[in-house]
Every structure is written in structure tokens, then in C-alpha cells.
Amino acid sequence: MKSKIVSKEIHLKKRPAGFVTEDDFELVEVEIPEPKREGEFSVRNIWMSVDPWMRIYMVKGSRIMPPVELNKALSGGCIGQVIESKSDNFKVGECVKANFGWREYWAAHDADSSAKNITKVDPKIAPLEYFLGLLGITGITAYVGLFKIGELREGQDTVFVSSAAGGVGSVACQIAKIKGCHVVGSCGSDEKVRWLLDELKVDYAFNYRKLGESNISSELKRACPDGIDLYFDNVGGKHLEAAIDNMNIFGRIVLCGTTSQYNDNNNTSTTSGNVNDPSTPTLSSGPSNLSLAVSHRLRLQGFIWSDHNDILNEFNASMSKWINEGRIKWKESIFEGLENAPKAFVSLFKGESLGRMLVKLGPYTATSL
Amino acid sequence: MKSKIVSKEIHLKKRPAGFVTEDDFELVEVEIPEPKREGEFSVRNIWMSVDPWMRIYMVKGSRIMPPVELNKALSGGCIGQVIESKSDNFKVGECVKANFGWREYWAAHDADSSAKNITKVDPKIAPLEYFLGLLGITGITAYVGLFKIGELREGQDTVFVSSAAGGVGSVACQIAKIKGCHVVGSCGSDEKVRWLLDELKVDYAFNYRKLGESNISSELKRACPDGIDLYFDNVGGKHLEAAIDNMNIFGRIVLCGTTSQYNDNNNTSTTSGNVNDPSTPTLSSGPSNLSLAVSHRLRLQGFIWSDHNDILNEFNASMSKWINEGRIKWKESIFEGLENAPKAFVSLFKGESLGRMLVKLGPYTATSL
């Protein structure tokens, strides 16, 4: 009989004050119970992701989620492989996606899988880590935002994406290009501008930092002489105001996810903005030109991808196809080993990295399932 | 054969600088051509309305409409009666609604009636002046805003209306009450609070001026302990921000019409706000809490009633019924005679009057049509 598993996990030792540091975290060893009763299974993690929004919950939570507990394992997206199982639904060797990042191993019961959002992923479809990004929340968010909230019109719309070199932004840009739209992106460095133009093939890109926030509106006028039909807002603040200045009648503004939650929590000191692109600016005061929303009949709509599960099958089919056709580019920054997860997290706020920040926790073991 | 009609009309003599005065206008006599060719007809006006938004176009227009021309008759809503006609569509004695206010008489051709928005109105349905208010743009705006943009849920929604004692606001409050909703209104005087509570029977009303704009959010928390589902925004600024603070998940914010156009035109010096309630505050900076639109999946949508003509028959039927059942209260302030139209207009900006501002231009002549 197998001995109990000893797993390492990362706890929050103290709530970060100002800039988060590695000292705020602690590596702890715990025992993971082996599956005994019917339905129980245990998982070894292969990948985990770190996201800037986690910082919010390390301090005080938000109106929709409490803060994380001190001296308990942190949570976050992970991909793992079932290593022991008394479940008919989760068999040894199968890969799963869950919210049990920041640890090497974890145990669960298949009766809880729905509530805990544990889902199987197929390693044949794409590299496993893609399920934490392109085929995960990042991709779904871009897809839901463009199609369900933004009602993207194929071949017709002029689309502006802020934080366009970030995770959600870069996917939104590429999907809009695949759909034959005119796409303009903003980002925070010349390197990103080049990436957007050369690799993602957007029609126009600009570095808002070099430009100055007060010039975004006139830059958009140049980039979109016929106006903007759909603005995918990852940023808020001056970007939103500048977009509103240039929206066409019946334009749609997609207010996208996590970025905004920073300031919701008055968390401006810790991060520069977007969940997928730490170099984006913080949301500041609201747009002073909302009057144009009336005369131009604009719609501004916030959303969270998880309200739109009805689109998941369509999303998975489309995104898998685009990935296999090589039509979607994707950047990852990878740290190795759980002990480096705090370092990966801290690096998010230095604004140097590009793309999805991941930590590799162990190998994938091919099985003959 | 009848002699030519000599009509008086009001011209804009000079563009108002700051507070509009009666000296900015001029009363001019012109000749109205009599109907000669097939389809021509002439009309004697009975009522005209004056609206604060007209002030914008007296100075510099907006992005969607040029400024009015000097030394030409001003435009605005009117109700008149056909006095001579060579048209089969507009017969002598019939009543029409058009945009040829600020004058006693006017002539038209029935081929232009659609483009010029000349429509017949039935004096049997309601007092004629109602077609400039309850059964006109004011009523339609409230109706479209609540149902088509706000997707009002009968018997379920908590509805907050700003500028609730204004034209659009007061109608929106009453429709929401008819539909069994919990209705909260804000306004700018204790007299209006009393009117809202005692006459319109809203569930809660407050005087935001006495309260202070920074306290609107906490007042709404008291008035709507279960949150707001639909905010009918006639104001923007701090009201909008306070509403967003209190919106429920999937809440809808109806960004309503003309108020906002003031600031669109940087016209803040001339009016205090809402087209129907000059005592409402101006739209200032945008809401700083738009991040909540993401976490709470809010939708903010601007609209103009004229995009929604598909709802006109339904609106006319519903509103006529409610009027006849005495379920809608309506206030009017009436000036007599075209020569007093400038005085009526100027009085809009003194914030003293309550209800729809009208000018009576002549009698209705009952006919045996």
C-alpha cells in the first residue's frame, strides 16, 4: 500500500503592504490523504498560473469574494494529472483543470467536481498549459467579450483593443482579425507595438505611454478615421474616454473583467492594471464624455466569462481549430518549480514580462488511456 | 379668395452669451403662402413647447445637429390645425404635430410630411397639448427607456429615477409604479419630494440638494436595501456614480437623452441640466466606479426615442389608456401668446417652474370631421 503523499504548498504568511515581496509567502509541507472512499481521487499538479488579480484577495478581497486566509494554501488555476483514484469519473492518468494552484498535490471527491470547477482536459487538443490561457479563462474572456457582449460583426467592425499585447487583449485582436475586422491596439511599449504589428498583424498599434494619455483620442481618430464600432476595454480611464470620443453610432463597449477590480479594491499601489498585462495603466476617474453615450446610442457592458457557459462548446471548437491552424499566437513566461511561484507572482508587478505567466510544477506522464 | 396669411414668428437675433435673455429673440412678421398646388396645406398653431436643449443649438449645435440659423424662425414641437388644404392627407380642421413651433402659421406639402415628421393627432384621445408631452417625446422617451433599453421586469425591479420630478422622470416613475415596481426618485426641492410622494406615489424620494451629492450613495443604500435593478439616468455625474454603487448584478442603467447633450456642447453655463426639469444638476466628471460594471455585469446604454418607432403603437395604446384611467399625473406651465415664447424659454433656466413648459398660440376649433 502506498504511503501518504507529502505535498508542498505556498501559503500567504502576511498580507502584502504596498509592493508584494517573496517574504509575504511561505513554503509549507502538508500531507495529502490518499483516496479511500468511493469517488475520491488525488492529483499531481503539472502547471499553475499566477495572475495580478490575486493580489487583491491577498489584502482585502472584493465585493464578490472574501480575502484569502493567512497560513492556508493559496488558490489559482492549475492543470494536473490524476495519480490515484477511487472515482469512475476521474481515472488515473487523466488530466484535469482546477483552481488548486500553488501546491504540488491535492485531493478531491468527484461529487464536488462541479462545485469546485474541476474539469477534464484533453492533452491531445493542445499543450496542457494552453488550458490555463488560450483554451482557458483568457481565451474564453476574449471570445465571450467579442461575440456575446460586443456582438462583433464579421468583416464590418472597426475594433479597438486596449492592453492589446496582454493575454485577453492579444487574443481579442487575433480573433477580430480572423473575423476580417479592422483592428487597432494600444499597449505600453514599442516592443509590444512591434509584436502587435509584426506577429499579430493588427492594422494599427500605438504605445500610449510614449504618446501620452491625453493624446489617445487624437491617435484613435487617425487610426480609425471612420470611427470605432467595438471597443474592447481592458483598461478604463483615459483609454475609455478616448474610445468614447471616437465611437460610431450604436457602438458597443465591452468592459472586460479583472482589470477594473483592482481599483474596486483601492489596490492601485500594487499593480499597473490588467490581469494579463501588468504594464497597462490603472483605471482612474471615469469618462467625462458619457453624454456621447446618449447621442451616439452607445452600449457599455461589463461581463464575466462564467455567466456564458452556453458558449463553451462553440469556443472550444473554434479556438482548438485556430490553434491547430496556427492562426493564434500566444506568449508564455515560465518559471520552474513550486518554490519559484512567489518569484513568478512578484515578477508580474515589475512589468517586464510578456505573455501568460506560468509555473511548471512537474512533468506530464503520457498514459495509454 | 382668401388673402395671404400674415404670420408672426420668433427669430434668434443673436446667439446667447451666458444666460439667455429675451433680447436674444425677435418677433418678425412674414407671409405664409396659401396652398395652390395639389398636396399643399397650411396650418395654424395652437400649442408650442420650449425645451432647455434648444439653448445648445442657439450657440453652436452638437455633433449630431448644426446650430440654428440667425434671423430665421426657430424650430420646436408644435400642435396645429389645418386651415387650408389641397391635400387629401391633411384636411381642413385636422390636427397635426410637427416641429414648426415658434410661429403662428406654417405651410407644407404632404409629400414632405414624413421627412418633416408631420403627423396627425386625434383630439379625442387626449387634450391636444398632451401630444407635446405625455403622448409626445417626453412620454415616449420614458416608455422606450424603461421597456426597450431598461427591460423593466414587472413586479420585480427596484427602479431609481433621477430628476424624478421632471417630465421624463415623472412619467418613468409612474409607469414603473403602474408595473408594480419599487420606485425611488431624486429631485432638487422639498416641494418636488412632496409631489413625488403624495401625488405620484413613489416609494421613496429625496432632495439631493439638501442631502449633498456626496451622500446620494448612502441615501440610495437606505432607500434600496436590496439594491437597484434599473437606474433611469436623467442626470449623470454623482447621481450615476451613486447608482452604480448600489446596482444589483445584471443591473441596467438607462442613459437618457437630452440632459447629457448639454455638456457634450460644453454648454454648462446656461442650464442646470435636464430637458424637462431645469433644476437638475449638470453632468460633471464620469463615474469613478465603472469597475463595478464589470464585477456586477452592468449594462449602461444610451438611446434616443426615435430609433424605436416599432414601439409607437404599443406606446400610444398604453399611454392613452393610462391617461384615460387617470393613472398618470402631469404638470404643465403655460404662457399665452407667441410674443411670450421667449419669456417662457428664459423662464426654463430660472429653475422655478414645475412640469412641461408650453406656450398657447391659439384656440382649437372643433370641427365636424
Side-chain angles (χ1 to χ4, degrees):
Chain A
M1 189 179 167
K2 214 173 173 180
S3 63
K4 278 178 183 163
I5 301 161
V6 175
S7 173
K8 296 200 183 86
E9 54 187 42
I10 305 282
H11 291 191
L12 187 65
K13 195 166 61 182
K14 57 180 200 286
R15 305 206 178 276
F19 207 91
V20 65
T21 71
E22 292 176 54
D23 288 342
D24 297 327
F25 302 90
E26 189 169 27
L27 188 71
V28 175
E29 281 193 0
V30 295
E31 276 189 4
I32 303 295
E34 60 188 317
K36 279 179 189 151
R37 287 171 305 166
E38 193 68 25
E40 293 180 338
F41 61 100
S42 53
V43 174
R44 178 178 55 74
N45 272 339
I46 299 171
W47 291 97
M48 63 171 273
S49 61
V50 291
D51 301 282
W53 57 261
M54 294 173 174
R55 170 66 176 75
I56 295 170
Y57 300 97
M58 290 179 187
V59 180
K60 57 176 192 173
S62 73
R63 281 177 55 168
I64 54 173
M65 204 160 103
V68 299
E69 291 182 62
L70 292 178
N71 304 313
K72 286 208 172 178
L74 288 158
S75 297
C78 68
I79 302 288
Q81 196 166 14
V82 178
I83 50 167
E84 286 188 87
S85 178
K86 290 196 181 301
S87 157
D88 292 336
N89 297 315
F90 295 94
K91 299 195 182 108
V92 170
E94 288 187 322
C95 291
V96 293
K97 185 169 92 168
N99 200 35
F100 298 117
W102 300 89
R103 64 201 91 180
E104 291 180 322
Y105 296 88
W106 47 278
H109 192 291
D110 60 16
D112 301 331
S113 61
S114 174
K116 294 189 171 168
N117 231 343
I118 304 169
T119 54
K120 277 192 267 195
V121 296
D122 183 352
K124 289 192 220 65
I125 289 176
L128 278 173
E129 69 270 27
Y130 276 34
F131 291 97
L132 291 176
L134 267 185
L135 283 163
I137 294 177
T138 309
I140 297 167
T141 300
Y143 196 91
V144 168
L146 283 177
F147 293 110
K148 287 207 73 174
I149 310 300
E151 295 177 345
L152 185 79
R153 297 176 305 169
E154 186 163 355
Q156 291 181 63
D157 279 340
T158 291
V159 178
F160 170 47
V161 180
S162 57
S163 188
V168 173
S170 67
V171 179
C173 284
Q174 294 176 88
I175 295 176
K177 281 309 299 175
I178 288 170
K179 292 294 179 183
C181 293
H182 184 80
V183 177
V184 174
S186 85
C187 58
S189 79
D190 288 347
E191 182 197 351
K192 290 175 181 175
V193 167
R194 279 191 300 276
W195 185 61
L196 288 169
L197 292 171
D198 298 345
E199 301 286 327
L200 304 198
K201 309 291 183 192
V202 306
D203 299 287
Y204 193 99
F206 62 88
N207 174 350
Y208 76 88
R209 283 187 171 158
K210 202 155 84 179
L211 193 68
E213 286 201 328
S214 58
N215 296 316
I216 299 173
S217 181
S218 53
E219 183 78 354
L220 287 175
K221 198 176 227 83
R222 268 189 295 280
C224 314
D226 297 325
I228 299 167
D229 300 300
L230 191 165
Y231 170 42
F232 198 109
D233 182 26
N234 292 305
V235 174
K238 285 290 172 193
H239 270 84
L240 178 55
E241 189 168 277
I244 291 174
D245 275 344
N246 287 280
M247 294 302 288
N248 285 330
I249 285 177
F250 298 115
R252 295 138 275 143
I253 296 178
V254 175
L255 303 173
C256 177
T258 35
T259 304
S260 314
Q261 291 175 7
Y262 290 99
N263 284 346
D264 185 10
N265 294 278
N266 298 316
N267 195 31
T268 51
S269 65
T270 58
T271 170
S272 48
N274 186 280
V275 60
N276 292 292
D277 182 357
S279 63
T280 24
T282 46
L283 189 79
S284 55
S285 61
S288 64
N289 54 353
L290 264 182
S291 57
L292 288 172
V294 183
S295 58
H296 286 57
R297 294 84 129 184
L298 306 182
R299 187 180 70 205
L300 296 84
Q301 190 166 355
F303 76 105
I304 293 180
W305 69 274
S306 53
D307 295 325
H308 303 275
N309 285 325
D310 57 311
I311 214 173
L312 279 184
N313 287 339
E314 179 193 314
F315 162 75
N316 283 325
S318 300
M319 186 57 82
S320 306
K321 181 168 164 283
W322 294 330
I323 290 171
N324 285 324
E325 292 171 354
R327 300 180 79 181
I328 299 268
K329 312 232 178 205
W330 179 243
K331 285 205 178 184
E332 290 167 350
S333 297
I334 297 172
F335 281 71
E336 294 274 345
L338 180 72
E339 66 280 9
N340 285 315
K343 195 188 294 266
F345 184 71
V346 170
S347 79
L348 285 175
F349 301 95
K350 297 185 175 162
E352 296 152 357
S353 60
L354 236 171
R356 185 71 171 149
M357 183 71 73
L358 297 168
V359 183
K360 181 95 186 267
L361 301 178
Y364 165 62
T365 309
T367 60
S368 56
L369 277 175
Chain B
M1 188 179 165
K2 211 172 175 182
S3 63
K4 277 180 186 165
I5 301 162
V6 175
S7 173
K8 295 198 183 85
E9 55 187 41
I10 305 283
H11 290 191
L12 187 65
K13 194 167 65 182
K14 58 179 199 288
R15 305 207 178 275
F19 208 92
V20 64
T21 71
E22 292 177 53
D23 287 343
D24 296 327
F25 301 91
E26 189 169 31
L27 188 71
V28 177
E29 280 193 0
V30 295
E31 276 189 2
I32 303 296
E34 60 188 317
K36 280 178 186 149
R37 288 171 305 166
E38 193 68 25
E40 291 181 337
F41 61 100
S42 52
V43 174
R44 177 178 58 72
N45 272 339
I46 299 171
W47 291 98
M48 64 171 271
S49 62
V50 291
D51 302 281
W53 58 260
M54 294 172 173
R55 170 66 177 75
I56 296 170
Y57 300 97
M58 291 178 186
V59 180
K60 57 177 192 172
S62 74
R63 280 177 56 168
I64 53 173
M65 205 161 102
V68 300
E69 290 182 64
L70 292 177
N71 304 314
K72 286 209 169 175
L74 287 158
S75 297
C78 69
I79 303 288
Q81 198 167 15
V82 178
I83 51 167
E84 286 188 88
S85 179
K86 290 196 180 300
S87 157
D88 293 335
N89 297 315
F90 296 93
K91 301 196 181 105
V92 171
E94 289 186 320
C95 291
V96 292
K97 183 169 93 167
N99 200 36
F100 299 118
W102 299 90
R103 66 200 90 181
E104 292 179 323
Y105 296 88
W106 49 276
H109 193 290
D110 61 17
D112 300 332
S113 61
S114 175
K116 293 188 172 172
N117 229 344
I118 304 168
T119 53
K120 277 192 268 197
V121 295
D122 183 353
K124 288 194 224 64
I125 290 178
L128 278 173
E129 68 271 28
Y130 276 32
F131 292 97
L132 291 176
L134 268 185
L135 284 162
I137 294 176
T138 308
I140 297 167
T141 299
Y143 196 91
V144 168
L146 282 178
F147 294 110
K148 288 208 69 174
I149 309 300
E151 295 178 345
L152 186 78
R153 297 175 306 169
E154 186 163 355
Q156 292 181 63
D157 279 341
T158 290
V159 179
F160 171 47
V161 180
S162 57
S163 189
V168 172
S170 66
V171 179
C173 284
Q174 293 175 89
I175 295 175
K177 281 309 299 174
I178 287 171
K179 292 295 178 183
C181 293
H182 183 81
V183 177
V184 174
S186 85
C187 58
S189 78
D190 288 345
E191 182 197 352
K192 290 174 183 174
V193 167
R194 280 191 299 277
W195 186 62
L196 288 170
L197 292 172
D198 299 345
E199 300 286 326
L200 304 198
K201 309 292 183 191
V202 306
D203 299 286
Y204 192 100
F206 62 89
N207 174 351
Y208 76 89
R209 283 188 172 158
K210 203 156 81 178
L211 192 68
E213 286 201 329
S214 57
N215 297 316
I216 299 173
S217 180
S218 52
E219 183 78 354
L220 287 175
K221 196 174 231 82
R222 266 188 297 279
C224 314
D226 296 325
I228 299 166
D229 300 298
L230 192 164
Y231 170 42
F232 198 109
D233 183 26
N234 292 304
V235 173
K238 286 289 172 195
H239 270 82
L240 177 55
E241 190 168 275
I244 291 174
D245 275 344
N246 288 280
M247 295 301 288
N248 286 330
I249 285 177
F250 298 116
R252 295 137 273 143
I253 296 178
V254 176
L255 303 172
C256 176
T258 34
T259 305
S260 315
Q261 291 174 9
Y262 290 98
N263 283 347
D264 186 11
N265 294 277
N266 296 319
N267 196 33
T268 50
S269 65
T270 57
T271 169
S272 50
N274 185 280
V275 59
N276 291 294
D277 181 358
S279 64
T280 24
T282 46
L283 190 78
S284 55
S285 62
S288 64
N289 54 354
L290 264 183
S291 58
L292 288 173
V294 183
S295 58
H296 286 55
R297 294 83 129 184
L298 306 181
R299 186 181 70 205
L300 296 84
Q301 190 166 355
F303 76 104
I304 293 179
W305 70 274
S306 53
D307 295 325
H308 303 275
N309 285 326
D310 56 311
I311 213 172
L312 279 184
N313 287 339
E314 180 194 314
F315 162 76
N316 283 325
S318 300
M319 187 57 83
S320 305
K321 181 168 163 282
W322 294 330
I323 291 171
N324 285 326
E325 293 171 351
R327 301 181 78 182
I328 298 268
K329 313 232 177 205
W330 180 242
K331 285 204 176 185
E332 289 169 349
S333 298
I334 297 171
F335 282 71
E336 295 273 345
L338 181 73
E339 66 280 9
N340 286 315
K343 193 189 294 269
F345 184 72
V346 169
S347 79
L348 284 176
F349 301 95
K350 296 183 177 165
E352 296 151 359
S353 61
L354 236 171
R356 185 71 170 147
M357 184 70 73
L358 297 167
V359 183
K360 181 95 189 264
L361 301 178
Y364 165 61
T365 310
T367 60
S368 56
L369 276 177

